[in-house]
Amino acid sequence: MREEYLDYRLQSSVLATLDSSYSGGEGVREILEKVNEQGIITEYRLLDEKKLIKKFMSQVYSDQGLAVYGIHDVLKMLKSGIVDTLIITDEIAYMHLEIKCNKCGNTQEKFVERINLINVKKEEFSKSCSKCGSDDIEIREKDIVDLLEELSASSGTKMEVISSKTEEGAQLMSLGNIGALLRFKPSH
Ligand SMILES: [Zn+2]
């Protein structure tokens, strides 16, 4: 690096220059320790996250229609298989509820914030089925992150979890902690 022997095409990939006191495997281990101690990868990771959110926000403000946000819109796009990159913050705290009538099979989906989970479940259990009137209601709950992972895996979607601590992360937080970049504009 210092004597500029490194190929110019590789220069832009250099994250940091560190000294090692050993050669071979021991030197590599020493460098990896220093990388961890100095938080170099973390910084690099944050830079990646910022770039991704910038790309996402510019799509939100453009008229190309390649970005959606909010749990309902993102889920809809994810299920139709056109999400390229799914972005959530580490603050996302929704639960997915599947409310099923055991008598007629009528099923409803609902997303609730974790903090409201107990109240919403109580409320749903107190209702009777809107189709057949039965009180035999069953509720299955799943963490939204697990659901998103399953849906992403089945549609070849990249899923990125970003920190909410950066300015960019806070932007996504204000859009409901979830956004998606689409492969193409959906036909309405
Ligand atoms: Zn029913």
Side-chain angles (χ1 to χ4, degrees):
M1 266 304 280
R2 278 171 201 151
E3 307 295 325
E4 295 178 350
Y5 289 136
L6 192 68
D7 189 296
Y8 71 94
R9 283 163 298 190
L10 294 176
Q11 301 234 359
S12 62
S13 304
V14 174
L15 302 180
T17 315
L18 298 169
D19 289 315
S20 114
S21 352
Y22 310 97
S23 61
E26 205 155 343
V28 172
R29 270 193 295 279
E30 186 197 0
I31 292 292
L32 285 177
E33 264 167 42
K34 283 190 182 176
V35 163
N36 279 331
E37 280 164 17
Q38 298 177 18
I40 289 164
I41 297 292
T42 314
E43 256 173 58
Y44 184 64
R45 168 78 207 160
L46 282 179
L47 203 68
D48 259 6
E49 290 183 2
K50 285 183 179 193
K51 266 192 219 156
L52 181 64
I53 297 294
K54 277 199 178 124
K55 187 177 164 193
F56 171 73
M57 290 309 291
S58 69
Q59 272 303 326
V60 168
Y61 292 119
S62 90
D63 53 7
Q64 287 177 286
L66 293 177
V68 290
Y69 55 87
I71 189 78
H72 294 284
D73 284 350
V74 171
L75 250 297
K76 197 174 139 198
M77 294 304 143
L78 202 53
K79 283 179 181 169
S80 60
I82 64 166
V83 175
D84 177 73
T85 309
L86 172 69
I87 317 163
I88 59 174
T89 76
D90 50 11
E91 290 283 329
I92 195 164
Y94 287 105
M95 294 296 286
H96 173 252
L97 299 185
E98 200 183 75
I99 305 151
K100 191 182 164 195
C101 166
N102 280 329
K103 199 176 170 201
C104 76
N106 179 32
T107 305
Q108 248 191 302
E109 262 191 319
K110 222 173 209 179
F111 295 96
V112 295
E113 289 193 57
R114 195 185 282 276
I115 193 165
N116 298 327
L117 181 65
I118 293 172
N119 284 335
V120 171
K121 275 172 75 177
K122 244 188 232 166
E123 199 189 310
E124 289 300 329
F125 273 127
S126 74
K127 289 182 193 166
S128 44
C129 172
S130 61
K131 279 207 175 141
C132 75
S134 167
D135 292 329
D136 189 4
I137 303 288
E138 185 188 321
I139 299 181
R140 267 190 259 176
E141 58 186 69
K142 190 180 262 183
D143 192 297
I144 189 74
V145 178
D146 294 333
L147 179 73
L148 292 172
E149 258 170 2
E150 284 168 25
L151 290 171
S152 296
S154 65
S155 58
T157 298
K158 294 186 282 285
M159 181 166 153
E160 300 281 352
V161 184
I162 66 152
S163 165
S164 55
K165 304 286 183 289
T166 64
E167 196 184 313
E168 287 78 7
Q171 283 181 313
L172 188 61
M173 234 171 111
S174 70
L175 296 177
N177 286 305
I178 183 165
L181 285 165
L182 307 179
R183 295 190 176 115
F184 50 85
K185 189 177 175 173
S187 48
H188 291 286

